[in-house]
Amino acid sequence: MNKTTNEVQELILDKLARYFAITPEQATEEQIYKAASLVVRDILLQKKQENNARIAEGKYKRVYYLCMEFLIGRSLKNNLFNLGLTEQFDKCLKKMGFSLEDIFERESDAGLGNGGLGRLASCFMDSLATLNYPAMGFTIRYEYGLFKQRIVDNQQVELPDMWLPSGEVWMMPRSDKRFTINLGGRAEEYLDGNGRMRVRYVDSQQIDALAYDVMISGYGDGAGVSVLRLWSATSTTQFDMRSFSQGDYEKAMQRENEAELITKVLYPSDDHSQGKQLRLQQEYFLVSASLQSIIKDHLRLYKSLKNLPEKAAIHANDTHPALAIPELMRLLMDEHDFSWDEAWDIASRTVNYTNHTVMAEALEKWDENMFRTVLPRVYSITCEINRRFIAEMNDRHVDGAKIANMQVINNNQVKMANLCVIGSQKVNGVSALHSDIIKDTIFSDFNEVYPDRFTNVTNGITHRRWLLQSNPLLSSLIEELIGSDFHTKPETLSGLNKFATDKTVLDRIGEIKKQNKKAYAEYVKKTTGFALNPESRFDTQIKRLHEYKRQLLNVLKIVHYYLDLTDNPDKKVTPQTFIFGAKAAGGYMHAKRIIQLINCLSKEIQKNPKIKQKLDVMFVENYNVTQAEHLIPASEVSEQISLAGKEASGTSNMKFMINGAVTLGTLDGANVEIGERVGDDNIFIFGVKTDEVERAWRAGYNSSTIYTHNDEIKRVVDRLRIGFDGESFSDIASYLIQGNYNVADPYMCLLDFDDYKRTAERMDEAYNNADRWNKMALVNIAQSGIFSSDRSINDYAKNIWRLKKVKKV
Ligand code: 26V
């Protein structure tokens, strides 16, 4: 985008005058942030209009990406970068007496997601726009995103996340995009004047979905602009003035409040489906509004829905938008006069589904009665999908037990993953290992009947945000060495391999890491007061807190080091700082206890300066996208230590890798592919493999035997009982060796402890040889190109959506 600094200045002055009636001298940082963002928004809008003119010709198939979560983070920096306007804005703001970096800090993170799933969706929007595939994302405009985490007395406290005041500026309200959603009541069939069966809703609650569009510019010359449409719920009816006039204020507000509740707050759990009615309503709300919008646009372009599968790919990101299948059937049959067979042919060739977890608790199931009550018409369609599926399977002589396992409705439950597999063209997992696992486990029966349906697309990250924007020093070095092609051709990062024995380059990589660590330590000092030692190794584990991710295993290792140092304070060790960032779902008590354990351990270490020099622990409060952007470039070790078979992919592993951190991990998710890319010399792998986990269970895994026979483990677990900073963690000790009414050590921390510790020691050796370590960092960076979301999106476009890029004229 060519705009000079002076032009930018004019535009900002204009916004300041028009929106705030002020000059730059009178403006606060907040107002400058708003004005600058509004300028950028106008530029995006203009770019989008130019772009849309090409898509509107109707030649292009489009993808519609449906996801309950988009973890957007901040937008101003990203948009300026992608538009190539950072320098102009920087100069212009300097002239006005402001620093662009400080202005970025004014923006709250749009945290409309829990973790990996939502961040993946956001990375995908960046790549879709950059590669110029015709795409649109759909999600919910939650008034409150993922809770803000505070640590009080070492414990997590959840506060509401009020992101809208500063995040709103990116959203264009679209009063022309408003659709009505029916919830509850009854769906009655009747014959219309032409003798056709019709459906009408009786006593349903009607809610309007109002669209807000966020534009996302791609990067580079050929880039397009994608739109993320966020739906907000509002009452269909006018304000109840009558009740209000009669003094019944509560009644006057009631309808509005009930409607708005639907998009009030994001469910803060990514591991446990609680089957709550409001969540089902949210999912239907997203799906129905999005499909009505897709159909309307499609009809405007093509006048018919018969070619929907040729011109639209609808993607269900996890099962949360699974209702897209019966809802599309409903719209096609009830509102557009298609027969069942025609509608099914269209729907099942249009929808695709990605699975993101094999954790049984996270697989969505709804109580059949509740489902029927909330969505009567969708329920009857779902029953018919189920009935026809069973008939088809019977015709194919599939074993009865297998049919029972695959059907959508069974034992008074509606199973969303089954609905997705039955109604989708393609189903994929998110790493090679995970895609194999779903075929062998949760979807094994489906894989027998529909073998061609299953495929893999390994996740990716946008390297523009996670390398170019967040690690400018490293990016400049790479540009100096191999040019800037990698901005849009990440695979060319492999050009760095030829510097693997170049001492000067390796030293510079080490030097950049040092500088990033220093900068991070200063940032942490300024924002939290915590004193990080930049001379120590930064070893980081950042992800949602969950038992299967095994932050506890990491803690056990740290406690082991801690006990060694308390016994022998003069022991020569590699100084290291363990950094954690994690939010736990509010009701997940065990996860919250682990957060408390980490914080108590950290507190105790702070009281002992001699130990702190050698071993430190820091917990990052309110870990989010922005925190990750600061921390990842400064990290040296990437902890990816889930129990094998449990982490579908992981994406922080990729962000660390591209920033030159070395993975210490298990053979799980995308770690496997990272290991294949970098080779055994450039990664530290430990622990049991997926099939060994299964075997260990079958052999009667017993953690208390390990505890009894392994003195080091015994010492660590016993110490949990004594606790840290005055707090005992005997509940966690007994979780590990007795099991609190459940199986003990369900994620096998004790089984993997020894190998973890040994591997970490091997890592120490490598770290203490700077050349060796810097070479590992270099190889990791050089081999990371394949984990760019550009590659993932090209895979989806080719193998799943069958999309073509928009050609620039
Ligand atoms: C599940 C549920 C269950 C119902 C309540 C609300 C809720 C919200 C989110 C989820 C999805 C959890 C799945 C998920 O986030 N999986 C992560 O996806 C990443 C992107 O593919 C992947 O890298 C991680 O390994 C995987 O855990």
Side-chain angles (χ1 to χ4, degrees), residues 302-320:
Y302 304 105
K303 317 288 176 244
S304 155
L305 290 170
K306 285 202 173 117
N307 65 345
L308 193 68
E310 284 74 44
K311 294 294 178 188
I314 295 175
H315 203 86
N317 202 30
D318 217 317
T319 57
H320 318 144

Side-chain angles (χ1 to χ4, degrees), residues 574-677:
T574 307
Q576 37 187 347
T577 300
F578 290 95
I579 303 172
F580 290 88
K583 289 182 182 179
Y588 191 174
M589 290 311 163
H590 181 66
K592 289 173 104 172
R593 280 291 279 167
I594 293 170
I595 290 181
Q596 191 178 0
L597 170 60
I598 298 168
N599 279 284
C600 286
L601 181 57
S602 171
K603 272 274 172 59
E604 183 156 322
I605 291 175
Q606 305 316 304
K607 291 181 199 153
N608 191 333
K610 195 156 176 193
I611 290 190
K612 182 178 162 78
Q613 271 179 13
K614 297 182 172 180
L615 174 71
D616 204 355
V617 174
M618 181 178 85
F619 187 88
V620 177
E621 192 180 50
N622 198 38
Y623 173 64
N624 59 14
V625 173
T626 297
Q627 291 288 348
E629 286 164 357
H630 285 291
L631 173 53
I632 292 172
S635 297
E636 294 166 288
V637 177
S638 158
E639 296 267 359
Q640 307 297 339
I641 60 176
S642 50
L643 177 64
K646 298 293 179 199
E647 188 69 273
S649 159
T651 42
S652 77
N653 43 7
M654 303 168 183
K655 295 166 196 161
F656 281 113
M657 174 190 192
I658 203 168
N659 281 282
V662 178
T663 303
L664 170 56
T666 49
L667 277 179
D668 202 12
N671 300 351
V672 177
E673 286 152 89
I674 291 178
E676 283 165 5
R677 301 301 297 181

Side-chain angles (χ1 to χ4, degrees), residues 372-390:
R372 182 195 294 123
T373 310
V374 176
L375 307 168
R377 177 65 182 142
V378 165
Y379 171 74
S380 68
I381 292 171
T382 307
C383 288
E384 185 60 12
I385 293 174
N386 189 44
R387 194 188 66 75
R388 287 174 183 244
F389 172 74
I390 294 171

Side-chain angles (χ1 to χ4, degrees), residues 69 117 269-270 272-273 279 320 356 459 548 647-650:
E69 309 193 3
L117 176 88
S269 164
D270 65 349
H272 208 85
S273 175
R279 170 82 183 183
H320 318 144
H356 293 266
N459 280 168
Y548 84 77
E647 188 69 273
S649 159

Side-chain angles (χ1 to χ4, degrees), residues 449-695:
V449 291
Y450 303 134
D452 298 336
R453 203 163 287 191
F454 291 89
T455 183
N456 171 248
V457 180
T458 299
N459 280 168
I461 55 154
T462 164
H463 63 293
R464 286 169 289 275
R465 184 183 275 260
W466 295 105
L467 171 63
L468 289 165
Q469 292 165 45
S470 63
N471 198 344
L473 294 178
L474 183 58
S475 306
S476 306
L477 173 64
I478 300 174
E479 279 159 19
E480 194 187 312
L481 297 171
I482 60 166
S484 51
D485 280 0
F486 74 98
H487 293 193
T488 49
K489 296 189 180 68
E491 65 283 0
T492 62
L493 281 170
S494 62
L496 290 172
N497 277 318
K498 64 172 174 285
F499 301 98
T501 51
D502 184 328
K503 171 92 171 109
T504 338
V505 169
L506 296 181
D507 285 349
R508 286 180 69 192
I509 287 190
E511 192 46 44
I512 286 169
K513 189 61 86 180
K514 265 196 194 133
Q515 290 194 37
N516 286 341
K517 286 168 69 183
K518 259 206 217 135
Y520 183 67
E522 279 161 22
Y523 167 77
V524 166
K525 184 84 203 160
K526 198 171 94 189
T527 50
T528 73
F530 191 96
L532 274 171
N533 171 12
E535 300 300 320
S536 65
R537 182 171 70 211
F538 286 5
D539 180 313
T540 309
Q541 188 173 15
I542 38 176
K543 44 189 85 252
R544 282 301 289 259
L545 210 136
H546 199 288
E547 287 159 80
Y548 84 77
K549 296 179 189 279
R550 299 201 296 191
Q551 282 93 349
L552 181 56
L553 174 60
N554 196 351
V555 174
L556 296 179
K557 178 190 66 181
I558 302 169
V559 171
H560 167 76
Y561 293 145
Y562 179 68
L563 293 173
D564 269 0
L565 282 172
T566 25
D567 286 354
N568 182 3
D570 296 320
K571 185 171 177 183
K572 241 181 109 38
V573 296
T574 307
Q576 37 187 347
T577 300
F578 290 95
I579 303 172
F580 290 88
K583 289 182 182 179
Y588 191 174
M589 290 311 163
H590 181 66
K592 289 173 104 172
R593 280 291 279 167
I594 293 170
I595 290 181
Q596 191 178 0
L597 170 60
I598 298 168
N599 279 284
C600 286
L601 181 57
S602 171
K603 272 274 172 59
E604 183 156 322
I605 291 175
Q606 305 316 304
K607 291 181 199 153
N608 191 333
K610 195 156 176 193
I611 290 190
K612 182 178 162 78
Q613 271 179 13
K614 297 182 172 180
L615 174 71
D616 204 355
V617 174
M618 181 178 85
F619 187 88
V620 177
E621 192 180 50
N622 198 38
Y623 173 64
N624 59 14
V625 173
T626 297
Q627 291 288 348
E629 286 164 357
H630 285 291
L631 173 53
I632 292 172
S635 297
E636 294 166 288
V637 177
S638 158
E639 296 267 359
Q640 307 297 339
I641 60 176
S642 50
L643 177 64
K646 298 293 179 199
E647 188 69 273
S649 159
T651 42
S652 77
N653 43 7
M654 303 168 183
K655 295 166 196 161
F656 281 113
M657 174 190 192
I658 203 168
N659 281 282
V662 178
T663 303
L664 170 56
T666 49
L667 277 179
D668 202 12
N671 300 351
V672 177
E673 286 152 89
I674 291 178
E676 283 165 5
R677 301 301 297 181
V678 299
D680 293 347
D681 290 346
N682 298 299
I683 191 165
F684 294 96
I685 294 292
F686 71 92
V688 287
K689 303 182 185 54
T690 309
D691 53 338
E692 292 166 348
V693 171
E694 217 18 71
R695 254 181 274 143

